[in-house]
């Protein structure tokens, strides 16, 4: 018998039968990048590659117990938190992660595949709980520019706020880095980049760290964002710092999207093992 040598990562997220998002997708990315993934399920989905028909929240005590039992047995190199569905889950996960401040935490809490709470007040309370309990513990928070705007509505008081000021607010809460995806791509000279080009912009305590432009692929894709955040987690678990991990994860995600596959009649799903498939004999 051989002792475990690959980094262990614990992922919190939904269980998706199609494997497009959530913990199944995370475990595939971790495995492809030479890590070992473990999962805590926050919701059970009924869906295919086109849509989610229904979702069942997991009781917060079950979420907590899933994590505690595993963590009493194993030491994690990193944590990833994906979609959470209610305030009680946020509180339970935040309490658990507070016991492991030395392991990096990648927070990617938004998913267009999951329905938003039907009640507007409930949705705002969930965002507020994320901001107050999980964001301060995050090594890196990843969200799109639209999602950043939604989150910022929980603290904005005026209409003059910008993306940069919203990011500064999150960093002031204790989050070490913020990666905003899908931003307007620009050149070093301040000119607009080529058409169909978007950028991922990484911010830290000293301001913008990187602004990486990528050619937009037509898709449509299911699970692109989760692939990126899972890859960042895996590279950090293997010892990379945040800027290195973000760069490597973006390159990996571009490859996964370029080799994406359509399993059924729905969207394309990133091929997380594309680099392994290329090496197989035909």
């Amino acid at each position: 018998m051989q002792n475990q040598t690959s980094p262990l990562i614990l992922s919190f997220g939904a269980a998706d039968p199609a494997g497009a998002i959530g913990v199944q997708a995370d475990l595939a990315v971790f495995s492809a990048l030479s890590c070992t993934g473990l999962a805590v399920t926050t919701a059970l989905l009924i869906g295919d590659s086109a849509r989610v028909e229904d979702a069942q929240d997991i009781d917060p005590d079950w979420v907590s117990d899933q994590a505690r039992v595993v963590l009493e047995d194993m030491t994690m190199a990193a944590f990833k938190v994906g979609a959470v569905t209610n305030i009680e889950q946020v509180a339970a996960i935040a309490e658990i992660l507070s016991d492991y401040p030395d392991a990096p935490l990648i927070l990617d809490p938004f998913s267009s595949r999951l329905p938003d709470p039907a009640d507007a007040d409930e949705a705002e309370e969930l965002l507020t709980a994320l901001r107050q309990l999980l964001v301060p513990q995050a090594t890196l928070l990843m969200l799109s520019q639209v999602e950043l705007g939604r989150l910022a509505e929980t603290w904005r008081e005026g209409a003059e706020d910008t993306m940069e000021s919203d990011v500064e607010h999150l960093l002031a809460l204790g989050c070490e880095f913020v990666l905003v995806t899908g931003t307007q791509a620009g050149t070093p000279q301040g000119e607009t980049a080529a058409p169909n080009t978007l950028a991922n912009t990484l911010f830290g305590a000293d301001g913008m760290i990187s602004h990486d432009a990528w050619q937009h692929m037509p898709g449509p894709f299911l699970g692109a964002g989760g692939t990126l955040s899972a890859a960042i987690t895996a590279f950090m678990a293997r010892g990379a710092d945040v800027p290195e991990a973000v760069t490597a994860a973006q390159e990996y995600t571009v490859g996964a999207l370029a080799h994406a596959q359509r399993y059924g009649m729905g969207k394309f799903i990133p091929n997380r093992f594309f680099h392994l498939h290329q090496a197989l004999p035909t």
Side-chain angles (χ1 to χ4, degrees), residues 141-154:
L141 167 64
M142 191 184 104
L143 70 180
S144 71
Q145 193 165 359
V146 172
E147 292 160 351
L148 174 61
R150 288 173 53 197
L151 184 60
E153 290 176 359
T154 65

Side-chain angles (χ1 to χ4, degrees), residues 28 41 49-50 55 59 67 70 75 84 86 93 127 144 151 170 173 176-177 179 183 204 215 230 237 257 271 279:
T41 303
S49 61
D59 184 279
V70 169
T75 300
V84 288
N86 57 60
I93 294 170
L127 291 175
S144 71
L151 184 60
L170 294 170
L173 294 175
E176 296 181 37
F177 297 88
L179 178 64
T183 61
Q215 190 71 26
L257 296 180
N271 182 353

Side-chain angles (χ1 to χ4, degrees), residues 6 75 104 139 159 249:
S6 59
T75 300
T139 307

Side-chain angles (χ1 to χ4, degrees), residues 7-9 35 76-79 104 106 231-240 245:
L8 299 177
I9 303 172
C35 295
M76 300 300 144
F79 294 92
I106 284 63
I232 293 171
T233 310
F235 284 115
M236 291 191 66
R238 290 168 49 183

Side-chain angles (χ1 to χ4, degrees), residues 80-239:
K80 179 190 170 185
V81 175
V84 288
T85 58
N86 57 60
I87 297 174
E88 292 77 12
Q89 284 186 358
V90 173
I93 294 170
E95 182 179 357
I96 291 165
L97 295 178
S98 67
D99 293 335
Y100 304 92
D102 295 331
L105 165 63
I106 284 63
L107 178 59
D108 179 17
F110 294 94
S111 174
S112 59
R113 188 157 164 83
L114 290 179
D116 291 327
D119 183 85
D121 291 337
E122 183 181 348
E124 183 173 357
E125 290 172 357
L126 177 58
L127 291 175
T128 300
L130 285 167
R131 173 171 59 86
Q132 294 177 342
L133 299 178
L134 283 176
V135 168
Q137 298 190 57
T139 307
L140 180 141
L141 167 64
M142 191 184 104
L143 70 180
S144 71
Q145 193 165 359
V146 172
E147 292 160 351
L148 174 61
R150 288 173 53 197
L151 184 60
E153 290 176 359
T154 65
W155 73 74
R156 279 180 179 169
E157 296 180 354
E160 301 300 322
D161 297 276
T162 63
M163 180 180 74
E164 288 75 13
S165 64
D166 291 338
V167 168
E168 288 176 2
H169 181 94
L170 294 170
L171 294 171
L173 294 175
C175 180
E176 296 181 37
F177 297 88
V178 176
L179 178 64
V180 185
T181 62
T183 61
Q184 179 66 47
T187 66
Q189 292 77 29
E191 302 171 355
T192 302
N196 298 321
T197 303
L198 295 175
N200 298 326
T201 307
L202 178 65
F203 297 90
D206 296 326
M208 188 174 71
I209 297 172
S210 62
H211 179 78
D212 300 313
W214 301 95
Q215 190 71 26
H216 178 68
M217 298 182 188
F221 299 106
L222 187 57
T227 300
L228 176 58
S229 58
I232 293 171
T233 310
F235 284 115
M236 291 191 66
R238 290 168 49 183

